[in-house]
Amino acid sequence: MRKITRESVKAFLNAKKFNKSNMSVEVLPNVTVLKYQGNEIAYKYNDPNNTISITNCGWESNTTKERLNGVITLSGLNNSGIYQKNWVWYLDGKEWNGGLTDLN
């Protein structure tokens, strides 16, 4: 995992503002948002379950996938992550179109 991914995802999970290179974290009253190149790729809601949602915002790049896998890994959720085969993305072994998806 890249250093920038680790730093930004840790800030995201701890609801701390972050801004470095192409990654940022915005902390709002009801949600914390992880942004990659200005695109909102992950949300952590301030609900009783601390729901985390992810999306690729239509960008099927290796870096987007790496950032989202950082969220999955560092959040400690029992998700197997995102991988790509024959230009198709998979989340937890199921075909995924990159749309907004709750992880927990």
Side-chain angles (χ1 to χ4, degrees):
M1 182 181 309
R2 297 177 188 167
K3 182 179 178 183
I4 187 76
T5 300
R6 188 177 314 105
E7 291 174 346
S8 61
V9 171
K10 283 185 179 181
F12 167 72
L13 294 172
N14 292 310
K16 303 284 184 188
K17 289 186 96 176
F18 180 88
N19 192 2
K20 185 176 181 183
S21 187
N22 55 18
M23 295 298 297
S24 64
V25 173
E26 185 176 358
V27 180
L28 302 171
N30 295 319
V31 66
T32 301
V33 182
L34 178 66
K35 296 181 181 181
Y36 169 56
Q37 294 191 2
N39 294 293
E40 298 177 351
I41 63 169
Y43 303 89
K44 182 178 178 203
Y45 299 95
N46 299 331
D47 61 16
N49 298 324
N50 287 320
T51 303
I52 295 176
S53 301
I54 61 169
T55 176
N56 68 13
C57 295
W59 295 97
E60 294 182 338
S61 71
N62 287 332
T63 305
T64 302
K65 186 172 21 180
E66 192 266 344
R67 301 294 199 258
L68 293 174
N69 275 322
V71 171
I72 293 167
T73 300
L74 295 177
S75 67
L77 299 172
N78 289 332
N79 296 76
S80 61
I82 300 166
Y83 67 93
Q84 182 177 346
K85 183 177 179 183
N86 296 326
W87 302 100
V88 176
W89 277 35
Y90 295 86
L91 173 62
D92 297 331
K94 298 175 190 149
E95 194 170 321
W96 183 54
N97 66 4
L100 190 63
T101 304
D102 291 347
L103 294 179
N104 53 340

